[in-house]
Structures are given as C-alpha cells and as structure tokens.
Amino acid sequence: MWLKETVTSSFASFIHGVKPEHLSKIVRHRSKRMILDSIGVGLVGSTTHVFDIALQYCQLYSPVAVSSVYGKPGIKLSPTLAAFTNGVATHSMDFDDTWHPATHPSGAILPALLAASQMLPPSTKPNGMDFLLAFNVGLEVQGRLMHFSTEAHNIPKRFHPPSVVGTMGSAAATAKLLSLSTAQCMHALGIAASLAGAPMANAATQAKPLHIGNATRLGFEAALLAARGMEANPLILDDIPGCSGFSVFYSVYQPKPLSTPSDHHEFLLEKQDIAFKRFPAHLGMHWVVDAALSVRNLFIHYAGSFSPSLIRTIVLKIPVSKYINRPFPSSEHEARHSFQFNACTALLDGEVGLSSFTESSIHRQELRELLDKVVVEHPEDNVANFDKMYGEVELLLHSGDVLTGKCDTFYGHWRKPLSKESLLKKFRSNASHVLSEEKIETIITMVDNLENLSDSSQLACSL
C-alpha cells in the first residue's frame, strides 16, 4: 500500500472514486455520439478481409463463448477474444474517431466494455449509466496520459498512440466496470503498461488494426489479472530516474496527478471534442480531400467539366509525415494513408468513400495518370498536428493559370463537428452492410437512452 499520493495512485483513486453524477450533460452527449459512431465503423469493418483473418484465429481459442462479435449474430467468442476481434473491426478501415492529442480513443475501450458486460453474471450486470461512466473513465485516462508529453500532440513517429494510451484506457475502463478496488485499479494500470506499444512502421498494413484489437483486449486482460490478485509496479506512471515506467514511450515526459473528484470533475471531453471521419482513411486525408474538392469546383467552373488533360501539375501543400506521404499506394491500407491518392481520387471522382479503396479503384489508369502529376511541398507553417495543420491543393494548368483550394478545418473536425443528422447518416450507412433496418434503429435508440438502460449487456447483444 502506498504511503503518500503518487501520480499512479492518483489515477487509481480517480478510477475507483469517480461517480455517474460527475458526468456533465455535454460529456454524456459527446460520449454517446462516440459510442454510436464506433459501433457503426465496427459493423462495416466486420466486412473486411483483415477482420475475417482475426475472427478465424480467435475461433480456434474460444472455449467460453459468451460475447458478441460485430456483424456476426450467430457467432460468440470468449470475452477477451471478442474484444480483440471487435477492436480489429473498428480500425480495419481507419474509419474510427480521432482525438487531440492524437489517438483513436473509442475503439480501444468500447469493445472491451461490450464484451465484459456480457461476461458478468445476471446479478452483477452493469446498467447503462455504469457503462457510460466506465467508457468516460477510459477516455479520461487516455487523454490525461497524452497530456504528459508535448510529443503526443503531433502526428506520431515511433509508437502508434492507441497501442500505448489505448491499452491503459481499456484497463481503466474495464477496472471501473468490474468495480475493482483502488489498489486493483493501480495494479491494472501497471500490468497494462507491460502489454502496451506497437510501432508506427506497421501503419498502412493489415497489422495496424491489430493495434486497436490488442489495446482493447490487453487492457481488459490487465484488469482481469489485477482482479485476481496480480500486482505490478505501483509507480508505473511516475517519472522515476533510471527506471522507466510509462515514460519509456515518450522522449519528453512530465506526469501530473489526477485529482479525485469531489462535487465536480471536468472531463477532458468537455473541453476537447472529437473528430469523426466522413470516409474511411487516415484523419490527415480529410484536409487534402476537402481542399481537392474545393479546387475541383473552381476547375469545373473554369473549364466547364473536370478535364485532367488540362492539368500540368498538381501541387499538394501538406505537413511532413512520412507514413502518410505515399506517392503510389499499391494496397487499400496504403491508399488510406496516402495524401496523393486521396487528393487525386477526390479530384477525379468528386468524392471519397468506401468504394474508393477497392482494388479496381486503386489501380485505375486515369488515377495513375493524375498521381504522376503530383508534386509535394511542405510549407514551414504547416505542422504535423491535427489541431494546427491544413491541406492545400494547387492545379497548375497548361494555359498558365493556377487554381487553388485550401482547407483549414474539414467537416467532422472538432472545430466543425458533424451534425446529428450527418452522424446518424454515417451510422445507418455503415450498419446497413450487416444489419436490418429494424436492428439499426434499435441500436440508435438504445445508445441515445443509454443512461436509462437497466442492463448494458443488451447493447452488445443487439450487435
């Protein structure tokens, strides 16, 4: 037992002590939007090849099959493997939400909570408000950890953030849902730190969705191990010279205690809203797509139609970020992480959507001809930060004329949030790939009234 408060013990005390009444109306509203969107992208993600691989693997090792799988009503898996599979589905198209500092927060915690709610016996089933509180605990822990380092504010270079803070958030969220003691919450964080981390080199590959799957599964497992008495370093979040704990993931690390709420607690989600994607690609692509659509409209007004033969050069003014600067992507995962591909697709088709990333779309001759015209520039004022970056697309025409489109804030960014209508349209479209209209509307109603749900496992059962 600790003798004085440390950073780690303060986080454990917060996880154990925070109560439903600490959730403000705006936090409940925003987090329910996140839950609905995350379920939707998970459902459409259950149609992907990488999801099929993960599901086939997990079906080999599920002797206690009690938890639901996105888009597969006839299949159940063991709780931690269901969390893993659903986490993979959520990130399989890179369609999930993004926060600032940069991470994908919902996919790392929601699958674990859904699976855990089905695991618990009827007498201890958490209600909807318990579920919503646990979800927000997972968000808060992720956000607070990212504020420990200025490095976390920028587009990452070393570790994929959800594999780091997401694992910790999943441990915190499931520890709350399972009603762990303060000491057990502390050990859950310590165990989770030993299970965290994945390299950015696997971005734009089939392995990247595993980062979310592992984060939600391994954080869940950390809480389960702590519940059964496993202990870990009680100073895992503290900055201890000569013996790195969580600080190993950052070159600059300045941890701060998390105060235990008394009458009031301001969650980070209240101050920092979330970004929702309109199409399934890396968040940075949304700036260049909107800039490309803007200049495309100018070009059609100029020429009467979109005629690529009139274009000599396409200049993309983007931040420096190696893993999303891909001139000629050869797979759907590379295409989702290519400024060039997404800008040219928007120019050619007037939109970017699910069908943009099929093999036939990626390898079109007319798209390749546009990609051949792309030149990339990195203005000094365009920094690799989702709160500060912009996208600019210039068309240099053979006539000598220059047309320019620029986007500082795309629709769906936290500064320009999706409307309720747009979010519901996205959810219905995604869910319709695997669910009936009746089931889709049931889920919408259930999430909208989550605080009043007597048994939160009903949400998982509806998937």
Side-chain angles (χ1 to χ4, degrees), residues 177-211:
L177 196 74
L178 299 175
S179 301
L180 268 57
S181 70
T182 304
Q184 289 171 328
C185 291
M186 180 184 66
H187 291 306
L189 292 174
I191 296 165
S194 284
L195 303 174
M200 284 306 303
N202 269 330
T205 73
Q206 288 186 339
K208 189 184 179 211
L210 302 182
H211 299 177

PDB file of all heavy atoms in Angstrom, residues 177-211:
ATOM      1  N   LEU A 177     -15.705  -0.808 -14.726  1.00  0.00           N
ATOM      2  CA  LEU A 177     -16.912  -1.597 -14.954  1.00  0.00           C
ATOM      3  C   LEU A 177     -16.973  -2.815 -14.033  1.00  0.00           C
ATOM      4  O   LEU A 177     -18.048  -3.224 -13.593  1.00  0.00           O
ATOM      5  CB  LEU A 177     -16.982  -2.051 -16.419  1.00  0.00           C
ATOM      6  CG  LEU A 177     -18.352  -2.547 -16.887  1.00  0.00           C
ATOM      7  CD1 LEU A 177     -19.310  -1.363 -17.066  1.00  0.00           C
ATOM      8  CD2 LEU A 177     -18.246  -3.323 -18.191  1.00  0.00           C
ATOM      9  N   LEU A 178     -15.807  -3.389 -13.728  1.00  0.00           N
ATOM     10  CA  LEU A 178     -15.740  -4.571 -12.864  1.00  0.00           C
ATOM     11  C   LEU A 178     -15.693  -4.221 -11.383  1.00  0.00           C
ATOM     12  O   LEU A 178     -15.559  -5.117 -10.545  1.00  0.00           O
ATOM     13  CB  LEU A 178     -14.508  -5.409 -13.239  1.00  0.00           C
ATOM     14  CG  LEU A 178     -14.464  -5.960 -14.672  1.00  0.00           C
ATOM     15  CD1 LEU A 178     -13.136  -6.656 -14.938  1.00  0.00           C
ATOM     16  CD2 LEU A 178     -15.627  -6.899 -14.926  1.00  0.00           C
ATOM     17  N   SER A 179     -15.745  -2.909 -11.068  1.00  0.00           N
ATOM     18  CA  SER A 179     -15.761  -2.423  -9.672  1.00  0.00           C
ATOM     19  C   SER A 179     -14.534  -2.857  -8.887  1.00  0.00           C
ATOM     20  O   SER A 179     -14.625  -3.309  -7.730  1.00  0.00           O
ATOM     21  CB  SER A 179     -17.040  -2.903  -8.953  1.00  0.00           C
ATOM     22  OG  SER A 179     -18.194  -2.433  -9.610  1.00  0.00           O
ATOM     23  N   LEU A 180     -13.358  -2.734  -9.505  1.00  0.00           N
ATOM     24  CA  LEU A 180     -12.120  -3.084  -8.820  1.00  0.00           C
ATOM     25  C   LEU A 180     -11.824  -2.082  -7.703  1.00  0.00           C
ATOM     26  O   LEU A 180     -12.245  -0.925  -7.758  1.00  0.00           O
ATOM     27  CB  LEU A 180     -10.949  -3.118  -9.808  1.00  0.00           C
ATOM     28  CG  LEU A 180     -10.636  -4.482 -10.454  1.00  0.00           C
ATOM     29  CD1 LEU A 180     -11.835  -5.056 -11.177  1.00  0.00           C
ATOM     30  CD2 LEU A 180      -9.442  -4.361 -11.395  1.00  0.00           C
ATOM     31  N   SER A 181     -11.077  -2.538  -6.697  1.00  0.00           N
ATOM     32  CA  SER A 181     -10.653  -1.661  -5.603  1.00  0.00           C
ATOM     33  C   SER A 181      -9.606  -0.676  -6.103  1.00  0.00           C
ATOM     34  O   SER A 181      -9.053  -0.837  -7.197  1.00  0.00           O
ATOM     35  CB  SER A 181     -10.076  -2.490  -4.458  1.00  0.00           C
ATOM     36  OG  SER A 181      -8.826  -3.055  -4.860  1.00  0.00           O
ATOM     37  N   THR A 182      -9.308   0.318  -5.294  1.00  0.00           N
ATOM     38  CA  THR A 182      -8.293   1.305  -5.679  1.00  0.00           C
ATOM     39  C   THR A 182      -6.953   0.628  -5.944  1.00  0.00           C
ATOM     40  O   THR A 182      -6.276   0.926  -6.933  1.00  0.00           O
ATOM     41  CB  THR A 182      -8.145   2.378  -4.583  1.00  0.00           C
ATOM     42  OG1 THR A 182      -9.411   2.982  -4.333  1.00  0.00           O
ATOM     43  CG2 THR A 182      -7.154   3.444  -5.007  1.00  0.00           C
ATOM     44  N   ALA A 183      -6.555  -0.279  -5.065  1.00  0.00           N
ATOM     45  CA  ALA A 183      -5.284  -0.983  -5.248  1.00  0.00           C
ATOM     46  C   ALA A 183      -5.304  -1.810  -6.523  1.00  0.00           C
ATOM     47  O   ALA A 183      -4.309  -1.852  -7.276  1.00  0.00           O
ATOM     48  CB  ALA A 183      -5.000  -1.875  -4.040  1.00  0.00           C
ATOM     49  N   GLN A 184      -6.401  -2.493  -6.794  1.00  0.00           N
ATOM     50  CA  GLN A 184      -6.500  -3.292  -8.016  1.00  0.00           C
ATOM     51  C   GLN A 184      -6.454  -2.404  -9.270  1.00  0.00           C
ATOM     52  O   GLN A 184      -5.862  -2.788 -10.277  1.00  0.00           O
ATOM     53  CB  GLN A 184      -7.786  -4.111  -7.990  1.00  0.00           C
ATOM     54  CG  GLN A 184      -7.768  -5.253  -6.986  1.00  0.00           C
ATOM     55  CD  GLN A 184      -9.131  -5.906  -6.828  1.00  0.00           C
ATOM     56  OE1 GLN A 184     -10.178  -5.246  -6.944  1.00  0.00           O
ATOM     57  NE2 GLN A 184      -9.142  -7.205  -6.559  1.00  0.00           N
ATOM     58  N   CYS A 185      -7.068  -1.233  -9.202  1.00  0.00           N
ATOM     59  CA  CYS A 185      -7.000  -0.293 -10.334  1.00  0.00           C
ATOM     60  C   CYS A 185      -5.561   0.123 -10.598  1.00  0.00           C
ATOM     61  O   CYS A 185      -5.136   0.221 -11.759  1.00  0.00           O
ATOM     62  CB  CYS A 185      -7.855   0.941 -10.054  1.00  0.00           C
ATOM     63  SG  CYS A 185      -9.634   0.643 -10.037  1.00  0.00           S
ATOM     64  N   MET A 186      -4.819   0.368  -9.529  1.00  0.00           N
ATOM     65  CA  MET A 186      -3.417   0.757  -9.666  1.00  0.00           C
ATOM     66  C   MET A 186      -2.619  -0.365 -10.333  1.00  0.00           C
ATOM     67  O   MET A 186      -1.818  -0.126 -11.243  1.00  0.00           O
ATOM     68  CB  MET A 186      -2.823   1.077  -8.300  1.00  0.00           C
ATOM     69  CG  MET A 186      -1.361   1.502  -8.330  1.00  0.00           C
ATOM     70  SD  MET A 186      -0.727   1.745  -6.659  1.00  0.00           S
ATOM     71  CE  MET A 186      -0.803   0.066  -6.023  1.00  0.00           C
ATOM     72  N   HIS A 187      -2.831  -1.592  -9.906  1.00  0.00           N
ATOM     73  CA  HIS A 187      -2.094  -2.711 -10.486  1.00  0.00           C
ATOM     74  C   HIS A 187      -2.535  -2.986 -11.924  1.00  0.00           C
ATOM     75  O   HIS A 187      -1.719  -3.384 -12.765  1.00  0.00           O
ATOM     76  CB  HIS A 187      -2.266  -3.954  -9.612  1.00  0.00           C
ATOM     77  CG  HIS A 187      -1.581  -3.833  -8.287  1.00  0.00           C
ATOM     78  ND1 HIS A 187      -0.244  -3.515  -8.158  1.00  0.00           N
ATOM     79  CD2 HIS A 187      -2.069  -3.972  -7.010  1.00  0.00           C
ATOM     80  CE1 HIS A 187       0.085  -3.472  -6.876  1.00  0.00           C
ATOM     81  NE2 HIS A 187      -1.003  -3.738  -6.161  1.00  0.00           N
ATOM     82  N   ALA A 188      -3.803  -2.756 -12.219  1.00  0.00           N
ATOM     83  CA  ALA A 188      -4.275  -2.929 -13.599  1.00  0.00           C
ATOM     84  C   ALA A 188      -3.514  -1.997 -14.545  1.00  0.00           C
ATOM     85  O   ALA A 188      -3.129  -2.395 -15.654  1.00  0.00           O
ATOM     86  CB  ALA A 188      -5.775  -2.671 -13.687  1.00  0.00           C
ATOM     87  N   LEU A 189      -3.282  -0.753 -14.112  1.00  0.00           N
ATOM     88  CA  LEU A 189      -2.510   0.184 -14.929  1.00  0.00           C
ATOM     89  C   LEU A 189      -1.072  -0.304 -15.101  1.00  0.00           C
ATOM     90  O   LEU A 189      -0.493  -0.222 -16.196  1.00  0.00           O
ATOM     91  CB  LEU A 189      -2.522   1.572 -14.290  1.00  0.00           C
ATOM     92  CG  LEU A 189      -3.873   2.300 -14.269  1.00  0.00           C
ATOM     93  CD1 LEU A 189      -3.758   3.595 -13.467  1.00  0.00           C
ATOM     94  CD2 LEU A 189      -4.355   2.598 -15.679  1.00  0.00           C
ATOM     95  N   GLY A 190      -0.487  -0.810 -14.027  1.00  0.00           N
ATOM     96  CA  GLY A 190       0.886  -1.305 -14.106  1.00  0.00           C
ATOM     97  C   GLY A 190       1.015  -2.504 -15.021  1.00  0.00           C
ATOM     98  O   GLY A 190       1.959  -2.597 -15.815  1.00  0.00           O
ATOM     99  N   ILE A 191       0.075  -3.415 -14.933  1.00  0.00           N
ATOM    100  CA  ILE A 191       0.081  -4.591 -15.816  1.00  0.00           C
ATOM    101  C   ILE A 191      -0.104  -4.152 -17.263  1.00  0.00           C
ATOM    102  O   ILE A 191       0.592  -4.621 -18.170  1.00  0.00           O
ATOM    103  CB  ILE A 191      -1.019  -5.586 -15.398  1.00  0.00           C
ATOM    104  CG1 ILE A 191      -0.749  -6.130 -13.995  1.00  0.00           C
ATOM    105  CG2 ILE A 191      -1.094  -6.748 -16.398  1.00  0.00           C
ATOM    106  CD1 ILE A 191      -1.951  -6.837 -13.371  1.00  0.00           C
ATOM    107  N   ALA A 192      -1.046  -3.236 -17.496  1.00  0.00           N
ATOM    108  CA  ALA A 192      -1.325  -2.772 -18.857  1.00  0.00           C
ATOM    109  C   ALA A 192      -0.099  -2.135 -19.497  1.00  0.00           C
ATOM    110  O   ALA A 192       0.138  -2.287 -20.706  1.00  0.00           O
ATOM    111  CB  ALA A 192      -2.488  -1.786 -18.847  1.00  0.00           C
ATOM    112  N   ALA A 193       0.692  -1.433 -18.712  1.00  0.00           N
ATOM    113  CA  ALA A 193       1.894  -0.800 -19.265  1.00  0.00           C
ATOM    114  C   ALA A 193       2.860  -1.833 -19.827  1.00  0.00           C
ATOM    115  O   ALA A 193       3.584  -1.559 -20.799  1.00  0.00           O
ATOM    116  CB  ALA A 193       2.579   0.046 -18.189  1.00  0.00           C
ATOM    117  N   SER A 194       2.879  -3.022 -19.238  1.00  0.00           N
ATOM    118  CA  SER A 194       3.743  -4.094 -19.740  1.00  0.00           C
ATOM    119  C   SER A 194       3.183  -4.758 -20.994  1.00  0.00           C
ATOM    120  O   SER A 194       3.860  -5.584 -21.615  1.00  0.00           O
ATOM    121  CB  SER A 194       3.955  -5.158 -18.658  1.00  0.00           C
ATOM    122  OG  SER A 194       4.877  -4.707 -17.682  1.00  0.00           O
ATOM    123  N   LEU A 195       1.962  -4.412 -21.355  1.00  0.00           N
ATOM    124  CA  LEU A 195       1.315  -5.012 -22.528  1.00  0.00           C
ATOM    125  C   LEU A 195       1.130  -3.984 -23.650  1.00  0.00           C
ATOM    126  O   LEU A 195       0.500  -4.293 -24.663  1.00  0.00           O
ATOM    127  CB  LEU A 195      -0.048  -5.587 -22.129  1.00  0.00           C
ATOM    128  CG  LEU A 195      -0.029  -6.618 -20.997  1.00  0.00           C
ATOM    129  CD1 LEU A 195      -1.459  -6.995 -20.599  1.00  0.00           C
ATOM    130  CD2 LEU A 195       0.740  -7.860 -21.398  1.00  0.00           C
ATOM    131  N   ALA A 196       1.658  -2.784 -23.467  1.00  0.00           N
ATOM    132  CA  ALA A 196       1.372  -1.673 -24.379  1.00  0.00           C
ATOM    133  C   ALA A 196       2.481  -1.469 -25.410  1.00  0.00           C
ATOM    134  O   ALA A 196       3.621  -1.867 -25.203  1.00  0.00           O
ATOM    135  CB  ALA A 196       1.174  -0.385 -23.581  1.00  0.00           C
ATOM    136  N   GLY A 197       2.099  -0.830 -26.525  1.00  0.00           N
ATOM    137  CA  GLY A 197       3.069  -0.368 -27.511  1.00  0.00           C
ATOM    138  C   GLY A 197       3.078  -1.156 -28.802  1.00  0.00           C
ATOM    139  O   GLY A 197       3.060  -2.385 -28.801  1.00  0.00           O
ATOM    140  N   ALA A 198       3.064  -0.427 -29.929  1.00  0.00           N
ATOM    141  CA  ALA A 198       3.183  -1.018 -31.263  1.00  0.00           C
ATOM    142  C   ALA A 198       3.820   0.026 -32.189  1.00  0.00           C
ATOM    143  O   ALA A 198       3.533   1.217 -32.073  1.00  0.00           O
ATOM    144  CB  ALA A 198       1.815  -1.446 -31.805  1.00  0.00           C
ATOM    145  N   PRO A 199       4.675  -0.401 -33.118  1.00  0.00           N
ATOM    146  CA  PRO A 199       5.456   0.544 -33.918  1.00  0.00           C
ATOM    147  C   PRO A 199       4.661   1.167 -35.063  1.00  0.00           C
ATOM    148  O   PRO A 199       3.804   0.526 -35.672  1.00  0.00           O
ATOM    149  CB  PRO A 199       6.595  -0.323 -34.463  1.00  0.00           C
ATOM    150  CG  PRO A 199       5.990  -1.691 -34.568  1.00  0.00           C
ATOM    151  CD  PRO A 199       5.039  -1.800 -33.409  1.00  0.00           C
ATOM    152  N   MET A 200       4.989   2.418 -35.372  1.00  0.00           N
ATOM    153  CA  MET A 200       4.347   3.116 -36.476  1.00  0.00           C
ATOM    154  C   MET A 200       4.693   2.498 -37.829  1.00  0.00           C
ATOM    155  O   MET A 200       3.994   2.738 -38.813  1.00  0.00           O
ATOM    156  CB  MET A 200       4.754   4.589 -36.477  1.00  0.00           C
ATOM    157  CG  MET A 200       4.052   5.421 -35.420  1.00  0.00           C
ATOM    158  SD  MET A 200       2.245   5.309 -35.466  1.00  0.00           S
ATOM    159  CE  MET A 200       1.889   5.827 -37.131  1.00  0.00           C
ATOM    160  N   ALA A 201       5.751   1.706 -37.902  1.00  0.00           N
ATOM    161  CA  ALA A 201       6.132   1.087 -39.174  1.00  0.00           C
ATOM    162  C   ALA A 201       5.038   0.194 -39.738  1.00  0.00           C
ATOM    163  O   ALA A 201       4.997  -0.054 -40.945  1.00  0.00           O
ATOM    164  CB  ALA A 201       7.431   0.289 -39.008  1.00  0.00           C
ATOM    165  N   ASN A 202       4.144  -0.287 -38.890  1.00  0.00           N
ATOM    166  CA  ASN A 202       3.050  -1.136 -39.364  1.00  0.00           C
ATOM    167  C   ASN A 202       1.805  -0.350 -39.769  1.00  0.00           C
ATOM    168  O   ASN A 202       0.772  -0.948 -40.077  1.00  0.00           O
ATOM    169  CB  ASN A 202       2.677  -2.182 -38.314  1.00  0.00           C
ATOM    170  CG  ASN A 202       3.450  -3.480 -38.504  1.00  0.00           C
ATOM    171  OD1 ASN A 202       3.803  -3.830 -39.627  1.00  0.00           O
ATOM    172  ND2 ASN A 202       3.712  -4.182 -37.421  1.00  0.00           N
ATOM    173  N   ALA A 203       1.909   0.971 -39.777  1.00  0.00           N
ATOM    174  CA  ALA A 203       0.817   1.764 -40.349  1.00  0.00           C
ATOM    175  C   ALA A 203       0.704   1.430 -41.827  1.00  0.00           C
ATOM    176  O   ALA A 203       1.688   1.082 -42.481  1.00  0.00           O
ATOM    177  CB  ALA A 203       1.090   3.255 -40.171  1.00  0.00           C
ATOM    178  N   ALA A 204      -0.514   1.526 -42.365  1.00  0.00           N
ATOM    179  CA  ALA A 204      -0.776   1.254 -43.786  1.00  0.00           C
ATOM    180  C   ALA A 204      -0.545  -0.204 -44.159  1.00  0.00           C
ATOM    181  O   ALA A 204      -0.277  -0.524 -45.312  1.00  0.00           O
ATOM    182  CB  ALA A 204       0.066   2.160 -44.684  1.00  0.00           C
ATOM    183  N   THR A 205      -0.647  -1.102 -43.162  1.00  0.00           N
ATOM    184  CA  THR A 205      -0.588  -2.544 -43.420  1.00  0.00           C
ATOM    185  C   THR A 205      -1.775  -3.210 -42.721  1.00  0.00           C
ATOM    186  O   THR A 205      -2.476  -2.592 -41.916  1.00  0.00           O
ATOM    187  CB  THR A 205       0.713  -3.182 -42.880  1.00  0.00           C
ATOM    188  OG1 THR A 205       0.646  -3.254 -41.441  1.00  0.00           O
ATOM    189  CG2 THR A 205       1.940  -2.374 -43.289  1.00  0.00           C
ATOM    190  N   GLN A 206      -1.974  -4.494 -42.999  1.00  0.00           N
ATOM    191  CA  GLN A 206      -3.034  -5.234 -42.324  1.00  0.00           C
ATOM    192  C   GLN A 206      -2.772  -5.377 -40.830  1.00  0.00           C
ATOM    193  O   GLN A 206      -3.693  -5.667 -40.061  1.00  0.00           O
ATOM    194  CB  GLN A 206      -3.188  -6.618 -42.949  1.00  0.00           C
ATOM    195  CG  GLN A 206      -3.814  -6.615 -44.333  1.00  0.00           C
ATOM    196  CD  GLN A 206      -4.069  -8.025 -44.850  1.00  0.00           C
ATOM    197  OE1 GLN A 206      -3.465  -8.987 -44.391  1.00  0.00           O
ATOM    198  NE2 GLN A 206      -4.976  -8.137 -45.819  1.00  0.00           N
ATOM    199  N   ALA A 207      -1.546  -5.150 -40.397  1.00  0.00           N
ATOM    200  CA  ALA A 207      -1.221  -5.288 -38.976  1.00  0.00           C
ATOM    201  C   ALA A 207      -1.685  -4.103 -38.147  1.00  0.00           C
ATOM    202  O   ALA A 207      -1.843  -4.225 -36.922  1.00  0.00           O
ATOM    203  CB  ALA A 207       0.285  -5.475 -38.800  1.00  0.00           C
ATOM    204  N   LYS A 208      -1.918  -2.948 -38.770  1.00  0.00           N
ATOM    205  CA  LYS A 208      -2.287  -1.766 -37.986  1.00  0.00           C
ATOM    206  C   LYS A 208      -3.596  -1.952 -37.214  1.00  0.00           C
ATOM    207  O   LYS A 208      -3.680  -1.542 -36.047  1.00  0.00           O
ATOM    208  CB  LYS A 208      -2.375  -0.535 -38.885  1.00  0.00           C
ATOM    209  CG  LYS A 208      -2.538   0.767 -38.094  1.00  0.00           C
ATOM    210  CD  LYS A 208      -2.722   1.958 -39.012  1.00  0.00           C
ATOM    211  CE  LYS A 208      -2.897   3.243 -38.204  1.00  0.00           C
ATOM    212  NZ  LYS A 208      -3.757   4.221 -38.880  1.00  0.00           N
ATOM    213  N   PRO A 209      -4.641  -2.556 -37.780  1.00  0.00           N
ATOM    214  CA  PRO A 209      -5.855  -2.776 -36.975  1.00  0.00           C
ATOM    215  C   PRO A 209      -5.625  -3.644 -35.735  1.00  0.00           C
ATOM    216  O   PRO A 209      -6.393  -3.555 -34.772  1.00  0.00           O
ATOM    217  CB  PRO A 209      -6.803  -3.468 -37.969  1.00  0.00           C
ATOM    218  CG  PRO A 209      -6.344  -3.012 -39.311  1.00  0.00           C
ATOM    219  CD  PRO A 209      -4.853  -2.913 -39.193  1.00  0.00           C
ATOM    220  N   LEU A 210      -4.567  -4.458 -35.766  1.00  0.00           N
ATOM    221  CA  LEU A 210      -4.247  -5.258 -34.576  1.00  0.00           C
ATOM    222  C   LEU A 210      -3.894  -4.373 -33.391  1.00  0.00           C
ATOM    223  O   LEU A 210      -4.053  -4.775 -32.236  1.00  0.00           O
ATOM    224  CB  LEU A 210      -3.081  -6.206 -34.861  1.00  0.00           C
ATOM    225  CG  LEU A 210      -3.236  -7.213 -36.010  1.00  0.00           C
ATOM    226  CD1 LEU A 210      -2.004  -8.099 -36.095  1.00  0.00           C
ATOM    227  CD2 LEU A 210      -4.484  -8.068 -35.813  1.00  0.00           C
ATOM    228  N   HIS A 211      -3.404  -3.157 -33.655  1.00  0.00           N
ATOM    229  CA  HIS A 211      -3.024  -2.258 -32.571  1.00  0.00           C
ATOM    230  C   HIS A 211      -4.231  -1.926 -31.703  1.00  0.00           C
ATOM    231  O   HIS A 211      -4.142  -1.885 -30.476  1.00  0.00           O
ATOM    232  CB  HIS A 211      -2.422  -0.959 -33.128  1.00  0.00           C
ATOM    233  CG  HIS A 211      -1.182  -1.158 -33.934  1.00  0.00           C
ATOM    234  ND1 HIS A 211      -0.526  -0.118 -34.569  1.00  0.00           N
ATOM    235  CD2 HIS A 211      -0.461  -2.276 -34.233  1.00  0.00           C
ATOM    236  CE1 HIS A 211       0.527  -0.583 -35.213  1.00  0.00           C
ATOM    237  NE2 HIS A 211       0.583  -1.892 -35.027  1.00  0.00           N
TER     238      HIS A 211
END
